[in-house]
């Protein structure tokens, strides 16, 4: 018999570098770093392609300056940068700002000064999309009005032919999620007149209603007694503002001045009860959408400081608004305490294109709103009815007739029980279900296990006091849910370590697990999650990216031994009680530089600015490849971190 041809056993070293580079450029930054740690060939290739990578998105971790330098070499081809700047300051401006950029998103810029704004305007002339969040929030940092002027006057040369990452008709997006009310009012409008006339999307973190009104008011020019000042922001389509008060005057000015407006999102949080002049009334609602182009409307009054509502709006105002907004597709009304079923039913029956409905603090909204939904042509996909305490199981039964529902938020609807879950279990496309504070029991969750649990991606039962360990048994015992990624079991007084042991044995690949303020959750839960095997036993606790154990009664210093490497290699967010043992907490934070550790009970999670990066999922070994690849640029070693952790543990044992 003739000898069989031998199989080709050539390795990656013999593959053309151009092919390898082409493959790696299809990945995001985190994936490139992961691949680079697998072999020398990939490491060399990864280092090379960083010099011509078009997009650099790194929002999952907060890199230091030392870690950012090797990842952002000189690159004349880069068009998009998105970075979490928690550990950066003005010294990193030279690395972040590139002349070729069209898209720039810098989150958590609290340690930057106003210089960042000025430098963006001076260096990034071709920007189409800009997001700067929390600039100069840290004490000692400041922003001058001249910095804003440099930004707006500099980012006006929008040459559509510069690259192809954005369509030519995309316009310009500006997101400034910080307080702009600190700037003087007398020349605020003059400075904004410098903004690009191609600006189509504008979001501001905080601005006073008076400043908004003056900004859009067609007042006389500053040096003229007869010439009317040209319209500012003439092409705005999407406007999102957080203000001190939502007023009739401001709403009227926005509606009349912005003729292309399709999305309007206004939120206020009064510190005192608004007077008639500084409030929204039926008259203001009647002014909305005079040009008939509005597709999304959000009017929300937050109870962040005082429990105040839109007390000067009733059913008549909603009727007048609905008459002008018949083509609207998405609506969110928060804090309209005098609007009854009549007003809310008017929206459902007048807006035939509606597919997203959100109402919060609807104190007079009852089941009758949804009684005759079958008589409408609506096909709702997103419904949120938070803090609507008059709703019962009957309302959910009517809502469940919308078989296309993918998001259902019923948080703090206290009267909902197991029968509501029986109806919800029939929804085949449901992805997100939020039931915080409802009156459901373990048996109610068993209905979900028989139906909708197979499609759910996010489930929250926070504060459902009747739930016990059996709820986890009903959800996961004998059921393998490949979709569920986020689970919130916080504030359940009867939830114990036994439920977490069952969860770990089920090998459900959960990415975010919240169990804050559960008095019976302890060290055993941490050990079980750290030892959890998924994907045929190759990972140890590796799926979890967020773990919230704040104020769990059974957590002791022993649990911190299991928060060390190689356990939880993909963990990015950790919530614990800071007073438990600060030395141990600090040691964990120092040994894992990419881990966000929250100590004061703040809610965990990163902003979902870019979900595209989540497409690529890789088999991580017992250490995180991203950390392994990046930390090679540090002088320190993991051995030092382990010694530091052991010292902290010894101190804790001595104090016990």
């Amino acid at each position: 018999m003739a000898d069989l041809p031998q199989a080709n056993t050539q390795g990656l070293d013999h593959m053309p570098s151009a092919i390898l580079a082409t493959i790696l450029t299809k990945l995001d930054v985190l994936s490139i770093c992961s691949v680079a740690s697998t072999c020398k060939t990939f490491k060399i290739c990864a280092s090379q392609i960083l010099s011509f990578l078009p997009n650099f998105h790194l929002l999952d971790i907060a890199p230091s300056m030392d870690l950012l330098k090797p990842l952002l070499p000189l690159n004349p081809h880069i068009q998009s940068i998105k970075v979490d700047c928690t550990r950066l300051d003005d010294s990193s401006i030279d690395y972040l700002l590139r002349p070729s950029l069209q898209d720039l998103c810098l989150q958590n810029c609290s340690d930057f000064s106003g210089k960042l704004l000025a430098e963006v305007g001076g260096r990034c002339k071709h920007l189409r999309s800009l997001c700067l969040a929390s600039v100069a929030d840290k004490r000692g940092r400041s922003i001058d009005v001249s910095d804003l002027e440099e930004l707006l006057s500099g980012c006006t040369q929008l040459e559509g032919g510069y690259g192809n990452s954005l369509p030519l008709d995309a316009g310009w997006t500006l997101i400034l999620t910080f307080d702009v009310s600190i700037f003087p009012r007398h020349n605020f409008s003059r400075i904004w007149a410098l903004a690009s006339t191609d600006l189509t999307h504008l979001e501001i973190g905080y601005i006073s209603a008076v400043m908004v009104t003056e900004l859009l008011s067609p007042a006389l020019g500053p040096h003229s007694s007869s010439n009317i000042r040209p319209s500012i922001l003439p092409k705005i389509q999407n406007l999102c503002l957080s203000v001190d008060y939502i007023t009739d005057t401001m709403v009227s000015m926005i509606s009349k001045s912005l003729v292309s407006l399709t999305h309007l999102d206004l939120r206020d949080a009064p510190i005192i009860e608004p007077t008639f002049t500084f409030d929204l009334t039926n008259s203001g609602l009647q002014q909305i959408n005079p040009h008939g182009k509005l597709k999304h409307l959000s009017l929300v009054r937050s109870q962040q400081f005082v429990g105040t509502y839109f007390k000067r709006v009733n059913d008549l105002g909603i009727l007048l608004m609905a008459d002008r907004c018949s083509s609207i597709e998405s609506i969110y009304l928060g804090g309209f305490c005098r609007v009854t079923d009549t007003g809310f039913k008017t929206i459902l029956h007048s807006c035939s294109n509606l597919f997203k409905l959100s109402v919060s603090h609807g104190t007079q909204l009852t089941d009758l709103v949804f009684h005759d939904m079958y008589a409408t042509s609506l096909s709702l996909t997103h419904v949120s009815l938070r803090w609507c305490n008059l709703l019962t199981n009957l309302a959910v039964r009517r809502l469940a007739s919308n078989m296309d529902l993918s998001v259902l938020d019923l948080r703090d609807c206290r009267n909902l029980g197991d029968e509501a879950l029986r109806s919800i279990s029939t929804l085949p496309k449901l992805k997100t279900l939020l039931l915080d504070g409802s009156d459901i029991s373990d048996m109610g969750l068993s209905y979900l296990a028989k139906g909708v649990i197979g499609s759910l991606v996010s489930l929250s039962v926070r504060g459902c006091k009747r739930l016990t360990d059996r709820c986890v048994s009903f959800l996961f015992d004998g059921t393998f849910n490949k979709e569920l990624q986020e689970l919130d079991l916080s504030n359940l007084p009867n939830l114990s370590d036994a439920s977490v042991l069952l969860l770990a044995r089920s090998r459900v690949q959960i990415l975010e697990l919240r169990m804050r303020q559960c008095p019976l959750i302890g060290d055993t839960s941490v050990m079980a999650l750290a030892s959890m095997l998924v994907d045929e036993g190759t990972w140890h606790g590796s799926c979890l990216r967020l773990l919230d154990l704040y104020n769990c009664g059974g957590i002791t210093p022993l649990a911190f031994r299991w928060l060390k490497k190689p356990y939880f290699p993909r963990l990015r967010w950790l919530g614990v009680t800071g007073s438990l043992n600060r030395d141990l907490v600090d040691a964990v934070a120092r040994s894992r530089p990419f881990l966000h550790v929250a100590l004061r009970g703040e809610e965990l999670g990163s902003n979902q600015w870019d979900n595209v990066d989540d497409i690529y999922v890789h088999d991580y070994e017992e250490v995180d490849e991203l950390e392994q690849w990046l930390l090679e640029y540090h002088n320190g070693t993991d051995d030092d971190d382990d010694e530091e952790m052991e010292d902290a543990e010894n101190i804790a044992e001595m104090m016990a």
Side-chain angles (χ1 to χ4, degrees):
M1 181 180 294
D3 293 337
L4 294 175
Q6 293 184 352
N8 188 351
T9 59
Q10 291 182 343
L12 292 173
D13 293 340
H14 298 278
M15 183 178 290
S17 58
I19 295 179
L20 287 178
T22 301
I23 295 173
L24 292 188
T25 53
K26 304 299 182 182
L27 305 179
D28 56 84
V29 175
L30 290 178
S31 300
I32 291 172
C33 294
S34 299
V35 170
S37 66
T38 59
C39 68
K40 183 178 180 180
T41 301
F42 275 145
K43 181 178 180 180
I44 295 174
C45 186
S47 300
Q48 293 173 346
I49 68 170
L50 289 173
S51 298
F52 56 86
L53 203 65
N55 301 318
F56 182 88
H57 297 169
L58 197 60
L59 293 171
D60 281 349
I61 66 170
S64 65
M65 188 59 190
D66 291 337
L67 296 178
L68 192 65
K69 285 181 180 180
L71 294 177
L72 272 177
L74 291 177
N75 181 356
H77 307 285
I78 195 165
Q79 296 179 359
S80 177
I81 290 181
K82 299 182 181 182
V83 176
D84 183 340
C85 298
T86 301
R87 301 182 182 182
L88 304 176
D89 55 25
D90 287 348
S91 64
S92 61
I93 287 178
D94 290 339
Y95 289 89
L96 294 171
L97 305 186
R98 309 294 175 91
S100 58
L101 283 177
Q102 293 189 4
D103 180 15
L104 178 63
C105 176
L106 303 180
Q107 295 290 320
N108 302 315
C109 303
S110 58
D111 211 10
F112 286 81
S113 68
K115 179 183 177 182
L116 176 62
L117 277 66
E119 292 295 328
V120 170
R123 303 188 189 196
C124 305
K125 299 293 187 179
H126 302 286
L127 277 179
R128 289 252 186 200
S129 177
L130 173 64
C131 172
L132 301 176
S134 308
V135 179
D137 273 2
K138 185 171 290 187
R139 181 176 297 179
R141 304 293 185 267
S142 62
I143 307 176
D144 191 79
V145 69
S146 61
D147 299 322
L148 179 63
E149 186 172 2
E150 289 288 335
L151 173 67
L152 297 178
S153 62
C155 296
T156 57
Q157 301 178 21
L158 307 177
E159 299 177 9
Y162 203 92
N164 58 4
S165 64
L166 290 169
L168 300 183
D169 59 349
W172 195 44
T173 298
L174 179 60
I175 301 175
L176 304 176
T177 57
F178 55 85
D179 185 358
V180 303
S181 67
I182 59 175
F183 302 130
R185 281 175 48 196
H186 65 274
N187 61 354
F188 189 71
S189 298
R190 176 189 64 80
I191 292 174
W192 275 94
L194 302 172
S196 170
T197 56
D198 290 320
L199 189 64
T200 57
H201 297 70
L202 177 62
E203 179 177 342
I204 296 179
Y206 182 80
I207 184 173
S208 70
V210 174
M211 294 178 76
V212 176
T213 303
E214 293 177 349
L215 174 64
L216 299 176
S217 176
L220 295 176
H223 303 295
S224 173
S225 59
S226 58
N227 294 329
I228 301 297
R229 185 183 64 197
S231 175
I232 293 179
L233 311 177
K235 296 183 180 180
I236 285 290
Q237 299 175 14
N238 191 322
L239 182 65
C240 179
L241 303 175
S242 179
V243 297
D244 50 355
Y245 300 101
I246 298 177
T247 68
D248 286 350
T249 304
M250 182 185 71
V251 169
S252 176
M253 188 59 64
I254 290 173
S255 301
K256 293 178 181 178
S257 302
L258 305 180
V259 297
S260 301
L261 198 64
T262 60
H263 289 67
L264 177 60
D265 190 336
L266 301 177
R267 178 183 295 267
D268 70 3
I271 58 175
I272 60 174
E273 188 68 35
T275 63
F276 182 85
T277 306
F278 291 95
D279 204 1
L280 181 66
T281 69
N282 291 341
S283 176
L285 284 183
Q286 189 178 3
Q287 305 300 316
I288 292 177
N289 200 28
H291 307 288
K293 299 179 180 179
L294 204 62
K295 298 299 181 183
H296 167 80
L297 175 63
S298 178
L299 300 171
V300 178
R301 174 152 289 172
S302 169
Q303 282 70 42
Q304 180 179 358
F305 302 112
V306 294
T308 183
Y309 301 86
F310 290 114
K311 297 179 179 179
R312 296 177 174 89
V313 173
N314 55 28
D315 293 337
L316 177 60
I318 299 296
L319 176 63
L320 296 172
M321 180 191 72
D323 187 51
R324 282 195 167 192
C325 298
S326 58
S327 62
I328 205 162
E329 299 174 355
S330 172
I331 190 166
Y332 181 11
L333 300 177
F336 288 81
C337 66
R338 293 187 60 197
V339 177
T340 69
D341 293 340
T342 301
F344 292 117
K345 287 184 68 173
T346 299
I347 294 174
L348 295 180
H349 288 266
S350 300
C351 306
S352 58
N353 296 327
L354 192 71
F355 66 91
K356 291 185 179 181
L357 173 67
S358 298
V359 178
S360 63
H361 293 286
T363 56
Q364 298 194 51
L365 188 152
T366 73
D367 298 345
L368 292 177
V369 172
F370 308 103
H371 176 68
D372 56 353
M373 281 203 67
Y374 61 88
T376 71
S377 60
L378 296 180
S379 181
L380 298 175
T381 61
H382 294 65
V383 173
S384 176
L385 302 170
R386 195 173 185 188
W387 288 301
C388 298
N389 290 320
L390 298 182
L391 293 179
T392 69
N393 298 330
L394 180 60
V396 178
R397 187 187 310 169
R398 304 295 186 188
L399 277 172
S401 64
N402 291 273
M403 301 303 289
D404 291 330
L405 269 178
S406 62
V407 176
L408 185 56
D409 182 356
L410 300 172
R411 285 176 290 176
D412 302 292
C413 294
R414 307 292 181 183
N415 294 321
L416 299 184
D418 293 344
E419 287 303 312
L421 290 181
R422 188 190 296 271
S423 301
I424 292 171
S425 68
T426 64
L427 297 171
K429 299 180 181 180
L430 194 64
K431 298 294 184 183
T432 300
L433 178 60
L434 310 179
L435 298 166
D436 303 14
S438 59
D439 194 36
I440 61 175
S441 69
D442 298 331
M443 185 57 64
L445 286 185
S446 70
Y447 299 145
L448 295 184
K450 299 174 183 177
V452 74
I453 191 64
S455 65
L456 276 182
V457 175
S458 178
L459 174 64
S460 177
V461 291
R462 176 182 296 203
C464 298
K465 306 292 187 181
R466 296 175 60 192
L467 296 180
T468 68
D469 291 337
R470 294 184 66 199
C471 74
V472 176
S473 176
F474 281 132
L475 286 175
F476 301 112
D477 191 14
T479 301
F480 184 64
N481 181 0
K482 296 182 180 180
E483 300 295 328
L484 192 64
Q485 297 179 4
E486 303 173 6
L487 180 61
D488 193 337
L489 301 173
S490 301
N491 197 18
L492 302 183
N494 299 313
L495 192 76
S496 71
D497 293 331
S499 62
V500 180
L501 289 169
L502 177 60
L503 181 64
R505 285 197 298 268
S506 70
R507 297 190 177 185
V508 179
Q509 298 185 22
I510 292 178
L511 301 182
E512 300 184 4
L513 179 60
R514 294 172 172 85
M515 298 185 295
R516 57 169 47 210
Q517 294 180 323
C518 292
L520 302 182
I521 294 295
D523 298 340
T524 302
S525 293
V526 179
M527 297 177 192
L529 293 172
S531 305
M532 183 176 177
L533 301 178
V534 295
D535 192 32
E536 298 181 357
T538 58
W539 298 355
H540 291 267
S542 58
C543 284
L544 279 176
R545 299 174 63 181
L546 182 151
L547 179 61
D548 193 350
L549 300 170
Y550 177 76
N551 204 26
C552 287
I555 300 295
T556 72
L558 176 63
F560 286 86
R561 297 175 182 262
W562 296 86
L563 294 172
K564 298 175 6 178
K565 299 176 183 178
Y567 304 108
F568 300 109
R570 299 190 71 187
L571 197 63
R572 293 287 177 253
W573 296 83
L574 174 65
V576 292
T577 305
S579 60
L580 182 65
N581 188 291
R582 190 55 185 265
D583 290 332
L584 282 174
V585 174
D586 290 343
V588 169
R590 284 191 293 268
S591 68
R592 310 189 77 154
F594 303 120
L595 181 65
H596 300 261
V597 182
L599 309 175
R600 297 183 295 274
E602 56 267 44
E603 292 291 342
L604 302 183
S606 57
N607 293 324
Q608 302 301 316
W609 291 96
D610 189 355
N611 293 324
V612 178
D613 291 344
D614 293 334
I615 293 177
Y616 304 101
V617 179
H618 300 281
D619 292 351
Y620 288 78
E621 300 298 336
E622 291 188 342
V623 295
D624 190 310
E625 286 93 336
L626 174 64
E627 295 187 20
Q628 175 182 327
W629 192 75
L630 292 179
L631 290 176
E632 290 179 1
Y633 295 92
H634 276 318
N635 292 327
T637 66
D638 289 342
D639 292 338
D640 296 333
D641 296 329
D642 291 338
E643 291 176 2
E644 186 179 55
M645 177 68 78
E646 291 174 3
D647 291 342
E649 291 172 353
N650 292 335
I651 294 174
E653 291 175 359
M654 293 174 60
M655 298 177 62

